Amino acid sequence: MSGPRTASGLRTASRLRTASGSRTFRVGKRVSFRYRGRSVLVSLLLTAAVLLVGAFTLTAGDLGLTWRELFGLAVSPPEGSASFVLERLRGPRFLTAVGAGIAFGVAGSLFQTVTRNPLGSPEVVGLTSGAAAGAAATTLWPGYVPVPIAAILGGAIAVGLVWVSTGRGFARPGKLIVAGIGVSAVATALTSLAMTTVGEQQAQTLAFYLNGSLASRSWSHVATLGVALVLVLPAAAALQRQLNVVSLGDDMAEALGVRVARTRTIAILLAVVMAAVAVSVCGPVAFVALVAPQIALRLLGVSSPGVVAPALVGALVLTLSDFTVQQIDIGAALPVGIFTAALGSLYLGYLLFGEARKGVL
């Protein structure tokens, strides 16, 4: 029985590889990897777009650098007001947006790939709410657990509760959404408890953070994201081949020799770390993890978005959203999470409508 299944799986995988138009790049006899021309082009264009947003972020407004000062950074360090803008005001904020966008994009891609569910994002399964509750808990017991660790623990507990309460893991979108709403409600209640317990100043700071904000970011936030990305991204990239096979279905993946349960567990753990670290730095910025993999899928024209394209799309979405809120003059600073929530809620409605038409919900 396993023989025909394995042969069929190999033929299917072979057809998929051929249809994808992938090529192999080799370094010596032992190192090689496959790539697609379209994927490389999309990645380059997304990288250029992120850099362009960064240039406008640094130059826009009365306090922005001039274009001459911006190009001059390539040959000499900034001085005076240019140094303040680059090193204190906007530089850390932009790099935090890039890092958090990458983390959210990778987390969303991992979730959606292993669940084969376009709704399987950290927001929907309660991960970001749980991570926010964990981070908020540090205001009740300061000094015991670092904020990033508390966020990771809170996110992991939330995902575990959703996994158990659905009865079938993340297989059914309808149950997934209901369970995610329930866990998010509990996490939000715990966060509200923290807000009513702390002082007024801390409560205001916490409320701003819970909306998802990139204001007043520092190099310590950039460093936190950088360490997490350096540790997790190589592991996620190394898992990519197995994830591509898992996207074909559990039976097919098992026939091709992939340990589905192990792969899914590792991917979810990596996603929890990525999303939780991003939440610990900039709060639960809504829906970036949901839309980034879906946009990447449509740009690449493949069945599995991988890691690179969703990471770059996440960075572009978050940096562009933050640039937009910086330019909106409403008399007060607008948290970027409110802007992404407005856009993401429309996209979530579109996904729900599509899933309902398929009879999946």
Side-chain angles (χ1 to χ4, degrees):
M1 183 175 179
S2 60
R5 178 183 297 180
T6 302
S8 175
L10 291 173
R11 286 195 297 271
T12 301
S14 177
R15 287 196 298 268
L16 287 174
R17 286 195 299 266
T18 302
S20 66
S22 61
R23 302 175 182 177
T24 301
F25 178 80
R26 298 184 181 277
V27 180
K29 296 182 178 181
R30 296 185 178 182
V31 180
S32 66
F33 61 89
R34 303 182 69 86
Y35 70 95
R36 298 171 68 244
R38 179 171 175 176
S39 299
V40 173
L41 177 60
V42 168
S43 298
L44 290 175
L45 291 175
L46 288 172
T47 301
V50 172
L51 293 176
L52 184 62
V53 173
F56 281 111
T57 299
L58 294 175
T59 58
D62 296 335
L63 296 176
L65 305 176
T66 65
W67 285 97
R68 171 177 287 184
E69 289 174 327
L70 181 64
F71 290 123
L73 297 177
V75 295
S76 62
E79 298 179 354
S81 61
S83 176
F84 173 75
V85 171
L86 183 65
E87 298 177 2
R88 297 284 300 276
L89 186 62
R90 297 185 183 178
R93 178 169 182 162
F94 172 73
L95 291 179
T96 300
V98 172
I102 291 174
F104 280 128
V106 172
S109 178
L110 292 174
F111 259 110
Q112 293 179 17
T113 299
V114 298
T115 61
R116 297 187 296 278
N117 182 355
L119 300 174
S121 73
E123 295 90 2
V124 176
V125 300
L127 194 163
T128 52
S129 297
T138 60
T139 62
L140 299 176
W141 303 284
Y144 288 96
V145 181
V147 173
I149 302 300
I152 291 173
L153 293 175
I157 293 172
V159 171
L161 290 174
V162 172
W163 179 279
V164 173
S165 60
T166 57
R168 294 183 58 188
F170 298 141
R172 293 297 298 273
K175 291 184 177 181
L176 180 73
I177 294 171
V178 173
I181 290 173
V183 171
S184 295
V186 174
T188 301
L190 294 175
T191 304
S192 299
L193 174 63
M195 290 184 63
T196 58
T197 304
V198 299
E200 181 179 353
Q201 184 63 39
Q202 281 184 301
Q204 291 179 350
T205 302
L206 186 57
F208 205 72
Y209 159 82
L210 293 174
N211 283 318
S213 174
L214 287 163
S216 302
R217 299 301 90 181
S218 67
W219 291 110
S220 64
H221 297 109
V222 178
T224 298
L225 284 166
V227 170
L229 292 176
V230 168
L231 293 176
V232 176
L233 282 181
L239 200 65
Q240 190 53 54
R241 188 190 70 82
Q242 292 92 326
L243 291 175
N244 289 338
V245 180
V246 168
S247 68
L248 301 175
D250 289 359
D251 291 339
M252 182 71 71
E254 292 285 356
L256 292 172
V258 174
R259 298 168 63 182
V260 175
R262 177 177 175 271
T263 300
R264 182 175 285 116
T265 300
I266 294 174
I268 290 176
L269 289 176
L270 294 177
V272 167
V273 173
M274 281 283 85
V277 170
V279 170
S280 73
V281 167
C282 60
V285 179
F287 293 113
V288 175
L290 176 70
V291 303
Q294 295 299 309
I295 295 174
L297 274 176
R298 286 154 178 77
L299 291 176
L300 297 176
V302 294
S303 59
S304 178
V307 173
V308 176
L312 293 173
V313 171
L316 179 60
V317 169
L318 191 50
T319 55
L320 188 58
S321 298
D322 189 51
F323 173 75
T324 302
V325 298
Q326 290 183 66
Q327 305 309 310
I328 297 176
D329 186 9
I330 58 174
L334 180 67
V336 67
I338 293 179
F339 183 81
T340 59
L343 297 179
S345 59
L346 297 176
Y347 189 74
L348 178 60
Y350 164 76
L351 284 180
L352 288 172
F353 179 73
E355 293 297 300
R357 290 189 62 184
K358 296 176 185 177
V360 178
L361 294 179

